[in-house]
Amino acid sequence: MGDLVRVRVLAGGAALATLGAGLGIRAIGSGDLVKYAGDALYTVLIVALVVLVAPRVRPTVAAGVALGFSCGMELFQLTGVPAELAARSTMARLVFGTTFNAPDLFWYAIGAAVGWAGHRAVCARSDERRQAFGTVS
């Protein structure tokens, strides 16, 4: 399997696992711990989706894009549009949220760091594989 296909398969699996973890944690718990874990997982999911779309993206860029997107969504909540959309759709509520909450920005950064670390580990493993098979000079 080619490296790009392998990265996409791993990113897709990571996205599905992250989505499952986020929905699962919301289903079994409540309170601040669940809310902030969900915020971090939201950004991890975005990292995985960035890698899925652009498998050659560097970990720092993927994490930066995900952090920027997540923070942008949080700031978008200041407009009131997400709350209006969320009133009509559960999916919109999950994607956009409803109200601005400044601590969420911190948890998005945590999620970006976790996503960066996971992506970096996959990149390092891929580099090791190429070196072992003599495809990197």
Side-chain angles (χ1 to χ4, degrees):
M1 177 180 336
D3 277 345
L4 294 181
V5 172
R6 182 177 163 276
V7 169
R8 279 196 164 119
V9 167
L10 289 170
L16 290 174
T18 303
L19 184 61
L23 293 173
I25 199 167
R26 289 181 69 97
I28 63 170
S30 62
D32 286 345
L33 178 64
V34 168
K35 184 206 178 317
Y36 293 130
D39 290 342
L41 287 169
Y42 180 87
T43 305
V44 171
L45 174 63
I46 302 303
V47 171
L49 294 175
V50 168
V51 175
L52 182 65
V53 171
R56 288 189 171 120
V57 69
R58 290 178 292 133
T60 304
V61 173
V65 167
L67 179 59
F69 180 85
S70 298
C71 290
M73 281 292 129
E74 191 68 28
L75 294 173
F76 183 47
Q77 292 170 359
L78 291 170
T79 68
V81 172
E84 186 176 318
L85 294 172
R88 297 182 203 158
S89 165
T90 300
M91 183 62 76
R93 184 174 46 81
L94 292 172
V95 172
F96 299 118
T98 55
T99 56
F100 178 79
N101 184 30
D104 290 355
L105 300 172
F106 171 77
W107 292 100
Y108 295 145
I110 297 296
V114 169
W116 171 86
H119 186 197
R120 181 67 198 112
V122 168
C123 289
R125 177 94 168 117
S126 183
D127 290 346
E128 289 172 7
R129 289 181 70 225
R130 281 195 295 271
Q131 288 176 354
F133 292 106
T135 58
V136 172
S137 51

